[in-house]
């Protein structure tokens, strides 16, 4: 089968490897229908993180068909169409029962995250609870719906996680820092939870248009101190009831802290790439910060899959270009160059 490997900064490639096999009793083997490139994958691609050349790639989002199931799998069978979240919760530990399976305590943390999933087949660990069954088969759905399901493997639940941990509620004024796929999905999440005003900080016209379509009410294109001042102006100096930080850089984190009102919560889901933040910057205003790996399975099962099936939300619109697996290096390049918001890989 074909899989993607990291060659060096600025280059990934496709190579032939063996199809994975069942190893543990709660594994499944999935035939991939769609995978994609995540904004977090670009940290390695741009050379921002150290990664061994020729190593397994970091792709981690899949929808697919169950090809084989381990003997402990009771919830799925061969032929089921499923969403494979990037986290692998067990469903019965304290973290999972509290709705935070991104920090599952039922198995080693290293087994809780997908990787190397930009491939034709994948081995998915701890599948019995964490996979989400999609009714029917891929042929039953339009390409738009297939894209919506793909978004439920990571970016839509991650955007929702930011809104959830920030306690976004009806009537709130919410700011979203970041206009990537997660930030755009955070706009959807804020609207879904009833926010009356949603300010997105975005400098790119294509992303601004999509944010407005998803429910944003205000666009702030400025960055740094100018961006902070603009948000303060929009909120008449009060700041926002909740801030959803969807980038992970030092600047985005400082911005999120500065535009939150006293007593607000910053929902932080951007993969952290920061230097230390001064605790005094938010201690003096009773600011809370929360966030981490998203609870994909919980949110998909409880809220998001139904919202997609009912046509209430369309997060798949963040996929603005599709590629074949053999074209995956181009997909990475186009995302790195901001020519596409999120790249879909079609098998």
């Amino acid at each position: 089968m074909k899989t993607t490997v990291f060659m060096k900064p600025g280059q990934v490639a496709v190579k032939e490897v063996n199809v994975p096999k069942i190893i543990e009793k709660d594994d499944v083997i999935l035939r991939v229908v769609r995978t994609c490139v995540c904004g977090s994958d670009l940290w390695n691609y741009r050379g921002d993180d150290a990664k061994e050349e020729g190593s397994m790639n970091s792709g981690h989002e899949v929808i697919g068909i169950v090809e084989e199931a381990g003997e402990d799998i009771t919830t799925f069978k061969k032929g089921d169409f499923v969403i494979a979240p990037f986290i692998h919760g067990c469903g019965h530990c304290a973290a999972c029962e509290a709705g935070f399976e991104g920090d599952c305590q039922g198995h080693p943390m290293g087994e809780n995250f997908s990787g190397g999933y930009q491939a034709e087949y994948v081995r998915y660990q701890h599948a019995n609870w964490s996979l989400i069954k999609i009714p029917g088969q891929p042929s039953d759905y339009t390409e738009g719906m297939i894209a919506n399901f793909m978004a439920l493997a990571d970016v839509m639940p991650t955007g929702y996680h930011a809104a959830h941990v920030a306690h976004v509620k009806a009537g709130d004024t919410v700011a979203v820092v970041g206009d990537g796929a997660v930030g755009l999905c955070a706009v959807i999440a804020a609207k879904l939870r009833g926010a009356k005003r949603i300010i997105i900080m975005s400098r790119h016209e294509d992303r601004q248009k999509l944010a407005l379509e998803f429910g944003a009410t205000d666009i702030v294109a400025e960055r740094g101190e100018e961006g902070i001042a603009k948000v303060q102006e929009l909120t008449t100096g009060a700041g926002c009831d909740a801030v959803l930080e969807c980038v992970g850089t030092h600047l985005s984190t400082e911005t999120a802290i500065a535009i939150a009102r006293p007593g607000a919560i910053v929902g932080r889901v951007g993969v952290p790439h920061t230097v230390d933040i001064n605790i005094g910057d938010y201690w003096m205003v009773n600011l809370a910060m929360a966030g981490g790996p998203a609870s994909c399975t919980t949110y998909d099962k409880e809220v998001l899959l139904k919202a997609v099936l009912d046509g209430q939300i369309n997060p798949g619109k963040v996929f603005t270009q599709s590629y074949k697996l053999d074209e995956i290096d181009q997909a990475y390049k186009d995302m790195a160059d901001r020519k596409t918001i999120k790249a879909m890989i079609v098998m």
Side-chain angles (χ1 to χ4, degrees):
M1 72 165 199
K2 294 179 179 179
T3 191
T4 307
V5 294
F6 175 81
M7 300 303 292
K8 61 182 181 180
Q11 183 184 10
V12 297
V14 174
K15 76 171 185 177
E16 288 284 341
V17 298
N18 293 329
V19 174
K21 298 181 182 299
I22 296 288
I23 297 175
E24 302 293 341
K25 294 179 180 180
D26 59 352
D27 289 346
V28 301
I29 304 301
L30 300 176
R31 174 173 59 82
V32 175
V33 173
R34 298 287 187 277
T35 184
C36 60
V37 181
C38 182
S40 63
D41 297 331
L42 297 180
W43 292 108
N44 293 329
Y45 190 77
R46 290 189 297 240
D48 296 327
D49 287 341
K51 185 171 174 61
E52 183 181 352
E53 294 186 5
S55 61
M56 181 182 74
N57 204 41
S58 57
H60 51 267
E61 301 156 89
V62 162
I63 57 173
I65 303 295
V66 175
E67 285 288 301
E68 186 180 357
E71 60 183 84
D72 284 353
I73 300 297
T74 60
T75 50
F76 302 97
K77 64 183 185 302
K78 181 178 173 64
D80 283 347
F81 184 27
V82 296
I83 300 162
F86 78 100
I87 47 91
H88 301 236
C90 69
H92 54 74
C93 69
C96 287
E97 288 184 346
F100 290 93
E101 69 269 14
D103 300 294
C104 179
Q105 300 163 308
H107 44 257
M109 185 60 70
E111 297 177 7
N112 203 39
F113 300 97
S114 300
Y117 277 18
Q118 291 161 346
E120 292 180 311
Y121 292 85
V122 301
R123 170 185 170 234
Y124 191 88
Q125 296 177 272
H126 310 297
N128 205 48
W129 179 81
S130 57
L131 289 178
I132 299 101
K133 186 174 180 179
I134 303 169
Q137 290 293 307
S139 58
D140 298 327
Y141 297 100
T142 64
E143 276 301 315
M145 282 298 286
I146 293 290
N148 285 334
F149 297 142
M150 185 69 251
L152 297 186
D154 180 351
V155 288
M156 186 62 236
T158 297
Y160 192 87
H161 191 54
H164 175 79
V165 299
H167 295 180
V168 173
K169 61 186 184 303
D172 276 354
T173 293
V174 177
V176 176
V177 182
D179 63 359
V182 171
L184 292 167
C185 287
V187 171
I188 296 174
K191 183 175 176 60
L192 193 61
R193 293 176 64 91
K196 71 174 181 181
R197 191 174 193 184
I198 304 169
I199 303 165
I200 185 166
M201 305 192 77
S202 170
R203 296 181 295 159
H204 305 93
E205 185 177 355
D206 57 339
R207 297 160 192 248
Q208 292 171 355
K209 288 180 179 178
L210 196 51
L212 292 170
E213 181 180 343
F214 284 163
T217 56
D218 301 270
I219 303 290
V220 172
E222 295 85 354
R223 297 184 73 190
E225 293 300 324
E226 290 184 359
I228 292 167
K230 183 66 175 180
V231 174
Q232 293 292 356
E233 178 187 334
L234 290 172
T235 59
T236 61
C240 300
D241 299 310
V243 182
L244 314 185
E245 194 285 304
C246 303
V247 183
T249 64
H250 189 77
L251 177 61
S252 65
T253 305
E254 284 191 327
T255 298
I257 291 170
I259 62 179
R261 66 160 169 77
I265 302 175
V266 174
R268 190 180 184 199
V269 294
V271 178
H273 280 69
T274 65
V275 295
D276 289 342
I277 299 296
N278 181 5
I279 192 170
D281 291 342
Y282 56 92
W283 185 86
M284 285 298 294
V285 290
N286 282 285
L287 186 70
M289 300 185 74
S295 306
C296 295
T297 301
T298 293
Y299 300 146
D300 284 352
K301 288 181 177 180
E302 294 183 355
V303 180
L304 299 177
L305 180 56
K306 184 178 189 301
V308 162
L309 291 171
D310 290 348
Q312 188 178 7
I313 62 173
N314 289 286
K317 290 185 177 183
V318 299
F319 294 100
T320 53
Q321 185 67 38
S322 293
Y323 304 79
K324 297 177 182 178
L325 184 57
D326 288 336
E327 302 169 325
I328 195 162
D329 188 61
Q330 189 63 50
Y332 269 78
K333 281 183 168 61
D334 288 351
M335 279 188 64
D337 293 340
R338 296 187 180 273
K339 292 179 180 178
T340 185
I341 297 174
K342 190 167 177 65
M344 175 85 78
I345 309 301
V346 180
M347 299 299 173

